[in-house]
């Protein structure tokens, strides 16, 4: 039989066969032996330490005890039926309790035998117990899995277990795999870097992550694997970044012309903040280098990203190009369109709006004007990327709230000109540094870290349900002062029906508290036809209504400066970044604004922390960091398409230092050897060659 290697299909591994291979593929996406070996243990049982029963405590996360099973009894009936074992060591006794698999346990557990048990101790009525402990017959003679010092625990599924692939089964498979391929595991990182960062070899890391002989060895394996994951992501990203500037010629905007200047000198209704000026300057420099710009603008809600986008687009128009701006929702695109027209006026440039509900006739006119070059700026939703939309000379693309667009959609805009347009991506809210480095590591990043002058920080309070009347009273006061109020309900897919019931009940209550004709209420939710949504929005914008009841559709972008109160119902159910986004809908005018977080009386620890964070700070960058710590990157929108989720070991919330180390390492490598031509970098060169698939999806941001 030919020698096996990491890329050998999993079915060729001894002990696997077609059926097991099939379930491994389906359940764990394990196709090769290498895939199997990157199914790392999710924890280790420390077999070096045995706890004495007398020392067990319900606060312990888990404990391992060596003792004897002295009796086994069936107690309770029907739903309370359970199997209870009495377990003893020389210091005391405790109970072991099982609710499931009782017949099987009765058959296989040996009363009188010594066991190593493992599980979480708990206490009930002074009686110490472990529910569903892991049980291993104790055998001091045999070198068995249970005798290893750190025993790996793998995640498994019901299906896998049917094929004997529980944690023990997977452990055996890992051992077979390692023995079969160990000698063929090649190094992936150049020796110089391995030495400099004191890494263990790839081979060593894979062996020790599954079967560490001690904690130190395990730590070294973990470091090496994390380093490898982060290092290669950065290598890819920075390579793409380098290719962008080298390969793709860019449109050159070499003048600041009449439209830009007229707008800046005569129409801009406020002075730009220092941060806005800085970012506009960065964009001007970028677009005059002859290379294509790919820049991300990060800024907190309300930091004034739109004006930056507008002035960049004017720059493009002054240089003879067209520009477009894509937003994720119709409401937002419409607002951008209206806002921009208002800012820039009707005569300076021609601007049009294209969305799903643009009429056929209007659409035809827009298509024609685009191709003839009489239309300067087009605002819209993803309707912009349809093939029918052809520009005469597209030079600048703005993507607002970009995480809602997929890579392919962005790529289509990129291809709307022979020489690709400059790309400016704007995030909705700040993202943490580690995420930015990983999700947008191939873009240049600008930060707007300053709010327009004169903004009063929004005051945020948290009310329990019991203070609802106080909240209504406060709403009345603010409305009496001429302000408007948002009231937002969660509408979450999984519990949509129930949410709608709450929404309706809440609405009825609200209508009683705020009756016609004195008070008028707008209602907007995702299920409404666009036309009705628009109508309701407009009523609120025109101040025909004082209260806007909404589900989270208003999360993105809506701008009504006179609205100064944001009430968020069931706020404990929202994520931090969502709460921050919602709060950003107020505080846009000159008045003091407020955010009231309503919640039920019972809060989880995490829910509590989220609300406390909101009350404590208005700083979006700080909130983003807390969010990352709480949720991990997987749940933060935008990560799905960014490769962040390919991380198996590294953690962007906790491995910031290592990530920075990797990024700097890669930067230094490219600086010394941009084409990776030197002998010592051949591993990196071949990694990138393997990764490029012809279509430059990941070059496109
Ligand atoms: P975001 O960054 O959240 O997209 P916007 O661009 O919508 O923020 O700006 C929020 C509000 O602040 C808008 O009403 C805008 O006109 C206003 N604004 C932007 N820049 C300034 C500034 N330099 N001074 C005063 N107001 C500004
Ligand atoms: Mg915006």
């Amino acid at each position: 039989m030919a020698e096996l290697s990491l890329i050998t299909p999993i079915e060729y591994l001894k002990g696997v066969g077609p059926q097991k291979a099939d379930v491994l593929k389906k359940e764990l996406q394990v196709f090769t032996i290498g895939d199997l070996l990157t199914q790392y243990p999710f924890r280790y049982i420390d077999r070096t330490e045995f706890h004495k029963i007398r020392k067990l405590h319900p606060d312990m996360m888990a404990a391992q005890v060596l003792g004897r099973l002295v009796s086994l009894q069936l107690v309770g009936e029907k739903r309370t039926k359970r199997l209870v074992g009495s377990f003893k060591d020389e210091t005391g006794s405790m109970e072991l309790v099982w609710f499931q698999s009782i017949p099987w346990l009765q058959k296989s557990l040996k009363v009188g035998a010594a066991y190593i048990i493992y599980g979480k101790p708990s206490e009930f009525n002074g009686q110490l117990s472990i529910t569903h402990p892991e049980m291993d017959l104790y055998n001091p003679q045999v070198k068995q899995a249970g005798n290893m010092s750190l025993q790996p625990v793998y995640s498994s599924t019901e299906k896998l277990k049917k094929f004997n692939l529980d944690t023990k089964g997977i452990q055996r498979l890992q051992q077979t795999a390692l023995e079969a391929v160990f000698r063929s595991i090649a190094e992936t990182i150049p020796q110089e870097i391995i030495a400099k960062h004191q890494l263990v070899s790839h081979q060593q890391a894979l062996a020790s992550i599954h079967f560490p002989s001690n904690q130190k060895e395990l730590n070294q394996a973990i470091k090496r694997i994390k380093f490898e994951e982060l290092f290669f992501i950065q290598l890819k990203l920075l390579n793409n970044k380098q290719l962008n500037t080298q390969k793709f010629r860019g449109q050159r905007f070499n003048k600041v012309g009449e439209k830009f200047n007229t707008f800046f000198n005569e129409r801009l209704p406020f002075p730009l903040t220092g941060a806005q000026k800085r970012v506009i300057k960065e964009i001007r420099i970028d677009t005059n280098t002859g290379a294509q710009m790919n820049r991300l603008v990060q800024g907190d809600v309300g930091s004034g990203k739109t004006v930056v986008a507008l002035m960049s687009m004017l720059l493009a128009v002054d240089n003879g190009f067209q520009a477009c701006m894509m937003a994720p929702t119709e409401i937002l695109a419409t607002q951008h369109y209206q806002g921009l027209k208002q800012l820039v006026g009707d005569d300076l440039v021609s601007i049009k709006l294209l969305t799903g509900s643009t009429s056929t006739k209007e659409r035809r006119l827009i298509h024609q004007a685009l191709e003839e070059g009489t239309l300067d700026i087009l605002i819209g939703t993803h309707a912009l990327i349809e093939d029918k939309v052809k520009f005469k000379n597209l030079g600048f693309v703005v993507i607002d709230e970009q995480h809602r667009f997929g890579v392919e959609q962005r790529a289509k805009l990129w291809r709307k000109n022979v020489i690709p347009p400059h790309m400016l991506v704007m995030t909705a809210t700040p993202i943490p540094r580690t995420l930015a480095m990983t999700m947008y590591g191939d873009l240049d990043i600008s930060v707007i870290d300053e709010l327009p002058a004169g903004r009063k920080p929004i005051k945020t309070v948290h009310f329990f349900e019991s203070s609802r009347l106080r909240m209504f009273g406060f709403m009345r006061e603010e409305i009496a002062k001429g302000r408007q109020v948002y009231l937002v309900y969660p509408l979450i897919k999984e519990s949509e029906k129930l949410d709608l019931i709450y929404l309706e009940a809440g609405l009825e209550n609200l209508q009683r508290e705020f009756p016609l004709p004195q008070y008028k209420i707008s209602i907007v939710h995702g299920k409404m036809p666009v036309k009705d949504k628009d109508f309701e929005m407009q009523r609120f914008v025109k101040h025909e209504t004082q209260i806007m009841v909404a589900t989270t559709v208003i999360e993105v972008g809506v701008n009504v400066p006179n609205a100064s109160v944001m009430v968020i119902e069931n706020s404990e159910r929202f994520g931090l970044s969502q709460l921050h986004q919602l709060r950003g809908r107020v505080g846009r005018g000159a008045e003091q604004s407020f955010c009231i977080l309503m919640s039920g009386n019972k809060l989880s620890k995490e829910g509590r922390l989220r609300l406390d964070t909101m009350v404590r700070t208005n700083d979006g960058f700080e909130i983003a960091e807390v969010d990352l710590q709480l949720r991990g990157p997987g749940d933060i929108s935008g990560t799905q398409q960014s490769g962040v989720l390919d991380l198996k070991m590294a953690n962007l919330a906790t491995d910031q230092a290592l990530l920075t180390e990797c990024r700097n390492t890669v930067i230094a490598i490219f600086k010394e050897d941009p084409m990776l031509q030197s002998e010592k970098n051949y591993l990196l060169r071949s990694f990138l060659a393997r990764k490029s698939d012809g279509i430059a999806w990941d070059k496109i941001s």
Side-chain angles (χ1 to χ4, degrees):
M1 193 169 168
E3 203 182 332
L4 305 183
S5 76
L6 291 176
I7 56 168
T8 307
I10 191 71
E11 46 266 53
Y12 294 107
L13 186 63
K14 206 175 95 201
V16 176
Q19 276 189 333
K20 273 191 189 171
D22 202 47
V23 57
L24 280 168
K25 285 174 199 174
K26 286 209 179 97
E27 295 289 292
L28 299 175
Q29 278 76 54
V30 165
F31 294 89
T32 64
I33 294 180
D35 292 342
L36 177 70
L37 288 173
T38 53
Q39 296 289 315
Y40 306 124
F42 70 93
R43 67 180 172 88
Y44 299 82
I45 299 174
D46 187 351
R47 295 297 199 191
T48 53
E49 201 187 350
F50 289 103
H51 294 89
K52 297 297 174 201
I53 289 179
R54 191 163 46 85
K55 291 272 173 69
L56 294 187
H57 193 273
D59 286 344
M60 297 166 88
M61 285 308 293
Q64 175 174 246
V65 185
L66 172 58
R68 206 165 284 280
L69 184 65
V70 292
S71 71
L72 209 53
Q73 243 184 324
L74 204 55
V75 291
E77 280 182 36
K78 285 191 181 151
R79 301 185 69 203
T80 66
K81 193 162 97 179
R82 59 199 189 273
L83 189 63
V84 178
S86 170
F87 193 68
K88 274 194 176 142
D89 70 2
E90 69 278 14
T91 68
S93 76
M94 66 186 294
E95 283 188 348
L96 306 179
V97 185
W98 294 270
F99 295 95
Q100 279 147 25
S101 315
I102 292 177
W104 182 78
L105 284 162
Q106 279 177 313
K107 247 188 284 168
S108 55
L109 287 175
K110 296 194 175 90
V111 175
Y115 279 92
I116 298 171
I117 67 156
Y118 182 87
K120 170 151 186 32
S122 52
E123 200 177 59
F124 189 69
N125 285 342
Q127 172 63 58
L128 206 64
S129 67
I130 292 182
T131 306
H132 287 258
E134 287 176 26
M135 305 283 293
D136 270 311
L137 263 179
Y138 178 61
N139 186 345
Q141 264 86 49
V142 188
K143 167 99 182 141
Q144 61 183 23
N147 284 3
M148 280 183 302
S149 56
L150 287 166
Q151 186 184 315
V153 181
Y154 298 91
S155 46
S156 182
T157 64
E158 287 309 312
K159 277 224 184 83
L160 284 166
K161 283 178 189 159
K162 282 203 190 112
F163 290 85
N164 278 334
L165 292 172
D166 55 1
T167 182
K168 292 254 166 66
I170 295 177
Q171 204 182 88
R172 273 192 296 274
L173 219 52
Q174 295 288 12
Q175 184 143 15
T176 316
L178 268 172
E179 279 163 11
V181 302
F182 187 75
R183 281 186 314 138
S184 77
I185 298 177
E187 190 43 75
T188 55
I189 296 181
Q191 276 311 322
E192 193 183 87
I193 294 167
I194 291 191
K196 191 165 162 220
H197 297 270
Q198 297 175 324
L199 304 172
V200 296
S201 69
H202 188 46
Q203 195 182 41
Q204 180 64 49
L206 283 179
S208 326
I209 200 72
H210 293 290
F211 303 102
S213 30
N214 54 49
Q215 191 64 43
K216 184 167 169 236
E217 203 182 291
L218 176 60
N219 291 347
Q220 284 171 333
I222 291 173
K223 179 179 172 191
R224 158 75 207 223
I225 292 169
K226 285 180 171 180
F227 188 97
E228 178 147 357
E229 287 179 352
L230 298 169
F231 177 84
F232 281 108
I233 290 181
Q234 290 303 320
L235 186 72
K236 248 188 340 190
L237 288 167
L238 289 164
N239 182 59
N240 290 343
K241 186 170 170 195
Q242 184 168 274
L243 289 178
N244 282 347
T245 42
Q246 281 169 358
K247 272 202 185 151
F248 295 103
R249 241 180 343 126
Q251 323 277 11
R252 192 183 278 273
F253 298 173
N254 54 18
K255 63 168 187 242
V256 175
E258 175 228 328
K259 293 176 200 298
F260 185 98
N261 282 328
T262 308
F263 175 75
F264 183 67
N265 295 322
E266 296 169 23
R267 310 222 168 145
L268 189 63
F270 38 69
L272 294 174
T273 63
Q276 285 171 320
K277 280 188 203 155
R278 193 184 63 236
V279 174
I280 290 170
K281 192 162 164 201
E282 283 166 347
I283 293 168
R284 270 175 48 190
I285 292 171
D286 274 1
T287 52
N288 192 20
T289 58
Q292 189 221 12
M293 177 186 84
N294 278 282
R295 188 170 277 282
L296 173 78
V297 174
Q298 274 219 65
D300 210 340
V301 199
S303 60
K305 294 182 286 284
T306 318
V307 168
V308 172
L310 172 64
M311 293 181 68
S312 311
M313 292 195 287
L314 291 178
L315 190 66
V317 177
D318 270 339
N319 283 275
F321 293 96
Q322 292 163 300
C324 71
M325 178 165 178
M326 183 162 75
T329 64
E330 183 142 358
I331 291 188
L332 186 57
T334 310
Q335 266 226 330
H336 273 318
Y337 171 69
Q338 287 160 347
L340 290 179
K341 260 185 105 86
Q342 200 182 5
L343 267 173
V344 78
D346 272 332
D347 49 334
L348 208 53
V349 284
S350 66
I351 306 187
K352 284 264 181 317
L353 174 69
L354 181 68
T355 69
S357 43
T358 306
S359 71
T360 320
K361 192 170 144 231
E362 172 74 1
R363 193 177 288 254
R364 217 177 282 129
L365 287 175
I366 289 177
H367 288 173
Q368 195 182 347
L370 274 181
E371 287 187 55
E372 286 169 359
T374 51
L375 181 56
D376 299 316
I377 296 178
L378 183 62
I379 315 289
T381 54
H382 46 264
L384 292 190
I385 55 183
E386 284 172 15
D387 290 334
K388 282 173 291 182
V389 180
K390 296 195 186 79
F391 292 82
K392 177 160 183 236
N393 198 8
L394 180 63
F396 200 92
V397 172
V398 181
I399 299 179
D400 194 17
E401 333 278 8
Q402 88 101 29
H403 61 262
R404 302 191 177 217
F405 295 103
V407 174
E408 288 182 34
Q409 292 176 306
R410 281 179 269 144
K412 283 192 174 165
L413 280 169
W414 173 290
R415 293 212 215 87
K416 286 205 184 272
N417 203 343
V418 187
I419 296 178
H422 297 296
M423 307 287 272
L424 185 70
V425 172
M426 305 198 294
T427 61
T429 44
I431 42 181
R433 235 172 65 83
T434 51
L435 261 187
M437 264 198 264
T438 316
M439 286 166 62
Y440 305 103
D442 54 346
L443 307 189
D444 292 303
I445 298 182
S446 296
V447 178
I448 306 189
D449 49 5
E450 189 185 345
L451 291 181
R455 287 265 171 84
K456 298 197 180 87
I458 301 163
K459 290 191 178 145
T460 303
V461 288
H462 168 210
F463 278 1
F464 287 109
E465 194 51 41
S466 45
S467 305
R468 176 164 292 278
L469 290 181
R470 238 179 100 200
M471 186 273 280
F472 282 147
F474 183 74
M475 279 175 64
R476 263 183 223 110
E477 282 170 33
E478 289 297 303
I479 291 172
K481 289 186 206 157
R483 306 285 102 76
Q484 288 164 279
V485 179
Y486 290 109
L487 205 134
V488 178
Y489 279 89
L491 188 56
I492 294 161
K493 276 241 160 58
E494 296 83 64
S495 50
E496 201 170 73
K497 273 205 184 113
L498 203 59
D499 283 346
L500 278 171
I501 291 172
Y502 285 138
L503 177 71
E504 270 165 29
L507 197 59
E508 257 175 49
N509 189 19
L510 195 74
Q511 278 160 339
R512 266 197 306 276
E513 293 283 336
F514 296 88
L516 286 164
Q518 190 184 357
Y519 298 101
K520 297 191 187 66
I521 303 176
S522 289
I523 301 163
V524 173
H525 63 79
K527 287 265 143 86
M528 283 162 73
V530 176
K531 222 172 75 227
D532 300 355
K533 248 194 272 188
D534 260 2
F535 178 76
E536 288 288 298
M537 276 300 305
Q538 285 314 320
R539 289 207 310 150
F540 190 66
V541 171
K542 291 187 207 139
H543 202 169
E544 290 168 12
T545 58
Q546 298 101 336
I547 301 172
M548 156 77 89
V549 176
T551 59
T552 41
V553 284
I554 62 159
E555 177 189 337
V556 182
V558 178
N559 192 18
V560 183
N562 189 51
S564 66
V565 182
M566 167 63 67
V567 180
I568 305 176
E569 297 281 359
N570 292 115
S571 59
E572 73 273 25
R573 290 180 54 197
F574 289 92
L576 256 181
S577 68
Q578 240 182 339
L579 289 172
H580 181 62
Q581 274 266 334
L582 285 169
R583 177 167 62 181
R585 295 312 107 209
V586 296
R588 299 182 158 234
E591 308 306 325
Q592 174 64 54
S593 291
F594 302 89
C595 175
I596 303 177
L597 305 168
M598 298 298 296
S599 85
N601 292 328
K602 269 220 183 106
L603 284 180
S604 67
K605 207 167 134 210
E606 212 193 287
R608 174 104 237 171
L609 183 60
R610 281 199 299 267
L611 299 187
D612 287 350
T613 304
M614 286 296 292
V615 171
R616 175 168 54 84
T617 181
N618 274 309
D619 182 345
F621 285 90
E622 195 181 331
I623 288 171
E625 288 290 345
V626 179
D627 198 28
L628 178 63
Q629 306 287 343
L630 280 179
R631 294 197 297 167
D635 285 326
I636 293 177
S637 50
T639 51
Q640 284 75 358
Q641 61 219 14
S642 66
V644 172
L645 298 185
D646 296 343
L647 295 173
K648 292 203 155 108
M649 185 72 73
N651 177 337
L652 293 182
T654 49
D655 292 325
Q656 179 151 359
L658 191 63
L659 172 57
T660 309
E661 186 180 327
C662 288
R663 185 163 173 96
N664 289 339
T665 305
V666 176
I667 289 173
I669 291 171
F670 276 123
K671 199 163 168 201
E672 187 191 289
D673 181 12
M675 304 308 289
L676 304 179
Q677 279 163 323
S678 69
E679 188 51 32
K680 67 179 181 187
N681 286 333
Y682 85 95
L683 283 173
L684 307 181
R685 197 167 63 234
S686 57
F687 168 84
L688 290 172
R690 267 201 317 280
K691 288 288 160 187
S692 73
D693 54 359
I695 309 168
W697 290 126
D698 55 358
K699 293 197 185 67
I700 291 160
S701 297

